[in-house]
């Protein structure tokens, strides 16, 4: 990660903590074209890990950690990200592996981040 990708990771962690109560323990960001791809570990709270011990709980958590996260970003546009990157947030793709507590978020922007920040 270069310094821009590292700072973007910090912004993601802060946003998640502010709007979800807990941010991932580790985030690695890679800029690729107009995407900021974030690999996230340590997403689940102790209560969520307990809920995940049942199969029904895993399904509910996966749904919450994908669709609800997208809703949070729709309702609370990530202005800090836009300001930092100097471009507009367009979309978000999210997935999580509950068993591994490993998630991926792909943030889509209206400019090529790779050209802008990777030298």
């Amino acid at each position: 990660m270069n310094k821009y990708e590292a700072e973007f990771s910090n912004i993601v962690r802060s946003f998640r903590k502010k709007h979800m109560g807990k941010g991932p323990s580790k985030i690695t960001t890679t800029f690729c074209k107009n995407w900021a791809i974030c690999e996230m570990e340590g997403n689940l709270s102790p209560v969520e890990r307990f809920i995940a011990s049942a199969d029904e709980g895993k399904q509910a958590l996966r749904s919450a950690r994908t669709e609800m996260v997208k809703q949070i970003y729709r309702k609370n546009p990530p202005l800090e990200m836009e300001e930092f990157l100097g471009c507009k947030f367009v979309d978000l793709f999210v997935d999580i592996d509950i068993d591994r507590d490993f998630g991926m978020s792909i943030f889509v922007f209206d400019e090529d981040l790779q050209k802008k920040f990777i030298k």
Side-chain angles (χ1 to χ4, degrees), residues 2-96:
N2 69 29
K3 67 181 181 179
Y4 299 103
E5 292 164 326
E7 181 58 29
F8 187 85
S9 295
N10 290 333
I11 293 168
V12 170
R13 180 178 291 107
S14 175
F15 185 93
R16 297 268 172 118
K17 190 170 186 175
K18 177 179 178 182
H19 295 284
M20 298 173 64
K22 181 188 181 306
S25 60
K26 181 180 179 190
I27 303 176
T28 303
T29 298
T30 304
F31 292 158
C32 179
K33 298 184 181 180
N34 63 326
W35 298 349
I37 304 165
C38 296
E39 302 171 59
M40 296 179 263
E41 298 175 36
N43 299 283
L44 303 177
S45 70
V47 171
E48 287 173 317
R49 283 194 291 276
F50 175 75
I51 292 168
S53 64
D55 286 338
E56 307 83 41
K58 283 181 192 172
Q59 283 303 106
L61 276 174
R62 186 169 185 281
S63 177
R65 284 291 184 151
T66 55
E67 293 309 311
M68 292 177 78
V69 167
K70 288 190 260 184
Q71 282 295 99
I72 289 169
Y73 280 90
R74 282 186 202 113
K75 290 180 181 175
N76 305 281
L79 302 177
E80 303 91 343
M81 291 176 189
E82 292 180 340
E83 185 177 311
F84 173 70
L85 297 173
C87 54
K88 185 91 174 121
F89 171 75
V90 176
D91 206 352
L92 174 64
F93 297 90
V94 180
D95 201 4
I96 188 167

